[in-house]
């Protein structure tokens, strides 16, 4: 894209001006490179959100990104913010893990400057979303909620059909955070499933909750068959 400023696909301007992307995109393994961003909800896709409980309502697959992506908050190489189905109907909250990023890669630098950065090599925030067979290389940096693949993988419910899934992913990027929740794969995991992932990148943090795979594990998050081969350098609470 010639180093030009990129307007993300789907964006959140304010609470009264929300323009989410919803649909399926197959990149056919093409590479999109050399674009710049600034602001919140930054990435190739900025704000992605499901509006129905249908299977695979959102599917982003087979896209390679090579770029330098920067912003203040909710920043990712592919998606700044992605959310599966979450809607209140007649006073009852409904959820569905029906958004998916698959077979995508990011190579470059990603940075976010806000105190709660929510920044990741593939996605800044992934709510009710599956991230499968994705990889990051280069450098990912922020303050808090920083992950080589995703900054924050979150569900409000312990039901297995709602939990975000991060699986079969690899990170070789250097991941650094000035504050808490910094991980080689996931910065912060809340009711998430994290499995079959490998981190080979160096992890740096200046505070608590820094890990080779996950910075902070909350609310019955399950972690299995993951390998950390990178070094972890931090302050008080760190893990492999």
């Amino acid at each position: 894209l010639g180093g030009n400023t990129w307007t993300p696909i789907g964006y959140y301007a304010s609470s009264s001006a929300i323009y989410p992307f919803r649909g399926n995109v197959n990149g056919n393994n093409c590479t999109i490179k050399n674009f710049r961003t600034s602001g919140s909800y930054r990435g190739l896709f900025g704000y992605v959100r499901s509006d129905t409980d249908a299977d695979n309502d959102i599917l982003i697959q087979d896209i390679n990104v090579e770029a330098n992506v920067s912003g203040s908050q909710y920043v990712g190489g592919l998606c700044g913010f992605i959310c599966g189905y979450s809607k209140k109907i007649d006073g009852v909250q409904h959820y569905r893990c029906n958004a998916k990023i698959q077979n995508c890669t990011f190579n470059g630098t990603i940075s976010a400057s806000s105190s709660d950065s929510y920044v990741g090599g593939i996605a800044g925030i992934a709510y009710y979303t599956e991230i499968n067979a994705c990889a990051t290389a280069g450098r990912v940096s922020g303050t808090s909620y920083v992950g080589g693949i995703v900054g924050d993988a979150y569900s409000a419910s312990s039901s297995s059909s709602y939990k975000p899934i991060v699986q079969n992913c690899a990170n070789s990027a250097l991941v650094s955070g000035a504050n808490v929740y910094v991980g080689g794969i996931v910065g912060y995991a809340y009711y998430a499933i994290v499995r079959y992932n490998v981190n080979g990148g160096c992890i740096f943090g200046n505070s608590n909750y820094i890990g080779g795979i996950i910075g902070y594990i909350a609310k019955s998050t399950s972690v299995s068959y993951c390998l950390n081969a990178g070094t972890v350098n931090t302050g008080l609470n760190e893990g492999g």
Side-chain angles (χ1 to χ4, degrees):
L1 297 175
N4 291 311
T5 300
W6 173 254
T7 299
I9 302 168
Y11 64 98
Y12 184 111
S14 68
S15 59
S16 60
I18 304 172
Y19 307 95
F21 170 81
R22 174 186 158 215
N24 293 352
V25 178
N26 188 329
N28 292 315
N29 206 34
C30 289
T31 299
I32 300 171
K33 58 185 178 180
N34 296 334
F35 63 85
R36 297 181 294 111
T37 66
S38 62
S40 297
Y41 301 97
R42 299 289 109 173
L44 183 64
F45 296 83
Y47 189 84
V48 180
R49 187 160 196 151
S50 172
D51 194 43
T52 174
D53 63 355
D55 289 341
N56 293 324
D57 186 47
I58 294 168
L59 177 59
I60 298 170
Q61 63 181 338
D62 299 325
I63 300 175
N64 305 302
V65 174
E66 297 178 6
N68 298 321
V69 182
S70 63
S72 56
Q73 192 176 46
Y74 314 123
V75 181
L78 269 293
C79 294
F81 178 101
I82 182 168
C83 182
Y85 184 67
S86 174
K87 200 169 192 176
K88 184 173 284 188
I89 302 173
D90 295 329
V92 178
Q93 188 70 47
H94 297 262
Y95 304 105
R96 185 82 185 275
C97 183
N98 64 344
K100 187 173 186 178
I101 303 173
Q102 179 172 275
N103 297 328
C104 293
T105 68
F106 177 84
N107 189 346
T109 62
I110 303 178
S111 62
S113 58
S114 175
S115 59
D116 288 334
S117 302
Y118 298 102
V119 56
I122 300 299
I125 280 185
Y127 290 174
Y128 318 108
T129 296
E130 178 182 341
I131 300 177
N132 180 51
C134 292
T136 301
R139 179 164 187 163
V140 181
S141 62
T143 305
S144 299
Y145 301 94
V146 184
I149 300 298
V150 58
D152 182 9
Y154 176 90
S155 171
S157 171
S158 61
S159 172
S160 60
S161 62
Y162 307 151
K163 287 184 174 183
I165 301 170
V166 182
Q167 62 183 2
N168 304 312
C169 294
N171 173 61
S172 61
L174 186 153
V175 180
S176 62
N179 207 333
V180 294
Y181 313 139
V182 182
I185 301 297
V186 181
Y188 185 92
Y190 194 100
Y191 281 134
I193 297 170
V194 181
R195 60 194 179 193
Y196 306 110
N197 302 294
V198 176
N199 173 60
C202 296
I203 314 301
F204 292 89
N206 293 326
S207 188
N208 292 324
Y209 310 120
I210 318 295
I213 300 297
I214 302 175
Y216 188 81
I217 299 172
K219 292 292 186 181
S220 302
T221 289
S222 65
V223 185
S224 59
Y225 304 104
C226 291
L227 172 66
N228 175 51
T231 58
V232 179
N233 303 276
T234 185
L236 300 178
N237 294 309
E238 64 182 61

